[in-house]
Amino acid sequence: GPMTLALIDKLGLHAKVVHVDWNNRLGVSMNNYPLHMNYSMWGSASEFGFDRKRFYDDETMLRASIKNLRNEMDASTADDPLYVLAGGPMELIYRALEETKPSCRSNVIIISHSTFNYRYTDGGSMTHDARDIKALGAVFHSIREQNDDLDRGLTYGDFLYLYYSTK
């Protein structure tokens, strides 16, 4: 979330960002996690000057989030595909893709960084994974697992250099 926005800001690619959503573990109670995500995502949007109309908290804005992502998928073409950087489970992406015109689905390229994210379902409100997305016709790429070092005991200080490098 915020780290991705910082990098996009540094590269000057604001205009390429058409949809940002978070809190996408639908129906899963996660204590204060949604509150912390809202704070960091809305704060990052302001800090880096993004169009907040493109930002969606899936816990409170789910239908609007799906609709916006579907509209962006429908607008994609072979010459101007939509790249989706999937930083969470696939359910919301699946729901938007399911509503997308079938002729546009192959113009949607999803990139995932975590085997947890592209395999996660809960049998309740989250029943679709990467296999379902591929079955609808989207292009799916899985890059090297990015969460392997999470058990290393990283601290806030491990990431300060990124903050200062954007200033």
Side-chain angles (χ1 to χ4, degrees):
M3 193 60 60
T4 301
L5 295 175
L7 294 170
I8 291 169
D9 176 65
K10 189 67 172 176
L11 294 169
L13 297 174
H14 290 75
K16 299 278 187 184
V17 176
V18 296
H19 180 91
V20 177
D21 71 84
W22 62 93
N23 288 335
N24 55 12
R25 289 188 66 187
L26 309 177
V28 177
S29 176
M30 298 182 65
N31 298 322
N32 288 327
Y33 183 79
L35 178 66
H36 295 294
M37 283 300 296
N38 282 337
Y39 178 78
S40 61
M41 294 304 292
W42 290 121
S44 296
S46 296
E47 173 71 22
F48 299 118
F50 284 92
D51 180 358
R52 291 171 57 108
K53 288 182 268 175
R54 303 265 186 202
F55 281 57
Y56 298 88
D57 168 13
D58 293 337
E59 191 167 82
T60 61
M61 306 167 77
L62 181 60
R63 188 65 220 146
S65 181
I66 292 169
K67 181 180 177 185
N68 181 68
L69 186 55
R70 181 206 63 219
N71 289 344
E72 294 301 332
M73 289 175 172
D74 280 342
S76 66
T77 65
D79 293 331
D80 188 17
L82 177 68
Y83 289 88
V84 177
L85 305 179
M90 302 292 123
E91 184 67 31
L92 180 121
I93 297 168
Y94 175 86
R95 291 183 189 188
L97 193 63
E98 185 178 42
E99 294 180 13
T100 298
K101 294 181 241 172
S103 61
C104 295
R105 292 175 181 169
S106 63
N107 303 322
V108 177
I109 302 166
I110 297 149
I111 302 168
S112 178
H113 73 289
S114 168
T115 54
F116 174 85
N117 287 343
Y118 63 76
R119 292 183 182 155
Y120 181 81
T121 60
D122 69 4
S125 59
M126 296 183 56
T127 59
H128 300 98
D129 64 15
R131 291 171 296 196
D132 300 306
I133 285 173
K134 292 176 196 176
L136 287 177
V139 178
F140 190 90
H141 294 289
S142 176
I143 63 173
R144 185 184 68 79
E145 176 67 51
Q146 302 292 299
N147 293 336
D148 287 342
D149 289 336
L150 290 180
D151 61 356
R152 211 169 47 104
L154 298 174
T155 66
Y156 175 75
D158 292 314
F159 298 97
L160 276 178
Y161 76 95
L162 287 167
Y163 171 79
Y164 290 112
S165 70
T166 64
K167 297 297 177 194

